[in-house]
């Protein structure tokens, strides 16, 4: 799968976002090691703390399908800047894929690629508590 194909999956997922409060629709497409792609969109809630980001929706969907090994993640928003995962999502993702490649896409379809290790240095992980 090319970067562009993965990005297109993230863009399609963004169309399903439930974002009536922020009006900031985000889509995520997670490429698993088995070659499948699992997508997610952000889902907001009137109790704003109950909202969840597209990245974690995709990650939880993959985990619920027994897919815990991931290659790449594309995150798309129709934004001026490159859409990077928030801090909570970075921490969540590092539990399963500390070196995950993340394609951060903006509204004009341009993107930049980062490793999760770069976006979240000095990661807090199971080594600290097990
Ligand atoms: Zn997030």
């Amino acid at each position: 799968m090319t970067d562009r194909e993965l990005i297109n999956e993230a863009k399609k997922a963004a169309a399903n976002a439930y974002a009536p409060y922020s009006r900031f629709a985000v889509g995520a497409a997670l490429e698993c090691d088995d070659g499948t792609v699992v997508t997610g969109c952000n889902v907001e809630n009137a109790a704003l703390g109950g909202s969840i980001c597209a990245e974690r929706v995709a990650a939880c969907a993959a985990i619920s399908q027994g897919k815990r090994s991931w290659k790449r993640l594309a995150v798309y928003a129709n934004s001026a800047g490159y859409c990077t995962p928030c801090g909570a999502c970075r921490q969540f993702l590092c539990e399963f894929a500390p070196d995950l490649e993340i394609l951060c896409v903006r509204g004009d379809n341009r993107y930049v690629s980062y490793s999760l290790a770069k976006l979240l240095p000095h990661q807090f992980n199971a080594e600290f508590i097990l």
Side-chain angles (χ1 to χ4, degrees):
M1 169 166 282
T2 66
D3 285 358
R4 189 56 60 193
E5 288 170 333
L6 191 63
I7 287 167
N8 285 341
E9 292 300 313
K11 192 171 184 177
K12 282 194 281 185
N16 293 324
Y18 177 73
Y21 309 108
S22 72
R23 301 188 192 283
F24 189 71
V26 181
L30 187 61
E31 183 182 24
C32 302
D33 275 358
D34 66 3
T36 59
V37 173
V38 180
T39 61
C41 61
N42 54 326
V43 182
E44 295 180 348
N45 190 276
L48 295 176
S51 302
I52 185 167
C53 301
E55 300 94 314
R56 278 179 283 153
V57 169
C60 287
I63 293 161
S64 72
Q65 295 174 28
K67 300 172 182 179
R68 295 183 185 172
S69 296
W70 310 328
K71 290 181 190 171
R72 289 182 299 167
L73 173 70
V75 184
Y76 169 87
N78 186 18
S79 54
Y82 298 106
C83 190
T84 59
C86 76
C89 286
R90 294 176 196 194
Q91 178 60 41
F92 192 92
L93 294 166
C94 93
E95 180 79 14
F96 300 95
D99 293 318
L100 185 66
E101 180 184 4
I102 302 176
L103 309 178
C104 305
V105 191
R106 63 187 196 189
D108 65 2
N109 289 317
R110 289 176 166 244
Y111 69 100
V112 292
S113 173
Y114 297 109
S115 72
L116 181 55
K118 176 161 182 146
L119 291 175
L120 185 66
H122 310 289
Q123 296 177 354
F124 182 83
N125 56 36
E127 292 174 23
F128 291 91
I129 55 176
L130 294 179

